[in-house]
Amino acid sequence: MSEASPRGTYLVISEALRKRISEEKTADALPSEADLMSEHGVSRNTIRRALKVLEGDGVLESAPGIGWRIVRGGDRRSLAERMTDLITEDSLSVGDTYPSEAKLCERFGASRTAVRRVLAQMEGNGLLATVHGKGRTVCALPAPAVRP
């Protein structure tokens, strides 16, 4: 990267990686973080932030001992979209109990950290509320999403 991006260097890199993944239909994994650092001329933290964006969008998944694996086919919605859509898919109503973190991790194959981040986002958007000792409940139904 020769100049800083007003949009965030990690976002520029994540979009470049997204394009690379869509063009290379046969690749199963990305180069190592060290190789990506050299290729883009940025720090490991910047590369990791870019990779986390793609992980959140369901494009990549971390594979311990392997690196970052490209997710092909299947559900391409982001974790946030899938967790929000769960309210409609499971026919939950306002006041119903939302699944626990453990059940969400198992259902979506996501880390507890990623699930907690999305839950906090859903609470901030007014979809969920947490009652200490009771768990999370649905506060509002999501607006119907328009997807191409």
Side-chain angles (χ1 to χ4, degrees):
M1 297 257 123
S2 58
E3 59 186 62
S5 167
R7 202 174 148 231
T9 303
Y10 75 100
L11 292 172
V12 173
I13 293 170
S14 71
E15 289 308 311
L17 291 173
R18 186 185 312 273
K19 182 178 178 188
R20 176 191 216 168
I21 290 167
S22 68
E23 290 172 354
E24 295 177 9
K25 301 291 184 197
T26 59
D28 289 332
L30 286 181
S32 69
E33 289 180 2
D35 289 342
L36 291 171
M37 288 167 47
S38 296
E39 181 180 328
H40 294 281
V42 295
S43 69
R44 184 174 302 277
N45 189 47
T46 302
I47 291 298
R48 286 187 174 163
R49 287 182 74 188
L51 295 170
K52 286 293 185 185
V53 168
L54 296 174
E55 180 183 35
D57 290 344
V59 175
L60 295 176
E61 64 184 0
S62 178
I66 297 171
W68 291 90
R69 189 172 27 217
I70 298 169
V71 176
R72 298 276 183 209
D75 194 348
R76 298 297 299 248
R77 295 176 295 165
S78 69
L79 180 60
E81 288 174 317
R82 291 183 288 158
M83 286 176 59
T84 301
D85 290 348
L86 179 144
I87 295 171
T88 306
E89 291 167 2
D90 288 2
S91 302
L92 298 178
S93 301
V94 172
D96 287 349
T97 303
Y98 194 77
S100 68
E101 288 178 6
K103 289 187 183 199
L104 293 167
C105 290
E106 184 179 329
R107 180 171 179 166
F108 298 114
S111 70
R112 190 171 290 258
T113 302
V115 166
R116 284 182 177 163
R117 192 175 321 138
V118 173
L119 288 170
Q121 181 182 1
M122 291 174 73
E123 288 177 7
N125 292 338
L127 292 175
L128 300 177
T130 301
V131 178
H132 185 70
K134 301 278 185 185
R136 290 178 178 82
T137 57
V138 177
C139 288
L141 299 178
V146 178
R147 292 196 180 96

